[in-house]
Amino acid sequence: MKFDDNCVFCKIVQKQAPSSVVYEDDFVMAFLDIRPACEGHTLVVSKEHFEGILDIPGELLGKVYQVSKVVAKAVVRALDADGVSVIQQNGRAANQVVFHLHVHVIPRHCGQKMKVDQELQTVGYNQLDLTAAKIKAHI
């Protein structure tokens, strides 16, 4: 499995950086975003380092999206959401910030405005761990 020593998501996958994990298997990991658009904003990543959709093998991309669906269902149930946004960005022009393939799973509530970059604030791991426990209970 290939990793990038400068990639924060690779460090999370290798347990060299903290995270609030909601799902993990041999190929995919899902953890809460530390700068969430809303409570429950989860990132689903391939464990192996690929920058984006253009270079990840199709079979692994399929696994990432299968887990994204599982996480989406759990997030909706855990947070009593009315819907879910599933977003995957590729390249600077698409607003990709971390260049490691990841899918954003963001619970949505009717009438809720989704925060944008400058409105996002870092959330502490104590709070993230509480939210992660709620989500894990539905996976």
Side-chain angles (χ1 to χ4, degrees), residues 13 18 28 32-33 62 70 79 102 104 107 115 138:
V13 164
V28 180
L32 294 181
D33 194 316
V70 169
L79 300 169
H102 60 286
H104 296 262
K115 294 177 187 173
H138 292 277

Side-chain angles (χ1 to χ4, degrees), residues 11-127:
K11 289 177 182 177
I12 289 170
V13 164
Q14 295 176 87
K15 312 287 195 250
Q16 296 172 354
S19 65
S20 297
V21 177
V22 299
Y23 176 89
E24 183 173 7
D25 65 26
D26 291 341
F27 304 100
V28 180
M29 179 184 269
F31 50 88
L32 294 181
D33 194 316
I34 63 166
R35 295 185 66 227
C38 63
E39 181 185 13
H41 181 168
T42 304
L43 302 174
V44 181
V45 306
S46 60
K47 283 188 159 182
E48 187 168 357
H49 184 85
F50 294 97
E51 280 196 16
I53 201 166
L54 302 177
D55 63 337
I56 189 171
E59 185 178 320
L60 182 54
L61 179 64
K63 290 178 184 189
V64 169
Y65 272 95
Q66 287 172 345
V67 171
S68 296
K69 181 177 179 178
V70 169
V71 169
K73 286 182 176 185
V75 163
V76 166
R77 286 188 220 124
L79 300 169
D80 198 28
D82 300 312
V84 63
S85 291
V86 177
I87 303 166
Q88 199 276 315
Q89 298 159 303
N90 296 276
R92 288 194 201 296
N95 204 28
Q96 184 178 8
V97 176
V98 177
F99 291 88
H100 181 123
L101 182 112
H102 60 286
V103 175
H104 296 262
V105 177
I106 306 169
R108 303 300 301 275
H109 295 87
C110 291
Q112 171 194 36
K113 178 183 173 265
M114 189 158 52
K115 294 177 187 173
V116 292
D117 293 338
Q118 63 271 20
E119 299 172 316
L120 301 177
Q121 295 182 3
T122 301
V123 174
Y125 285 104
N126 289 339
Q127 182 59 49

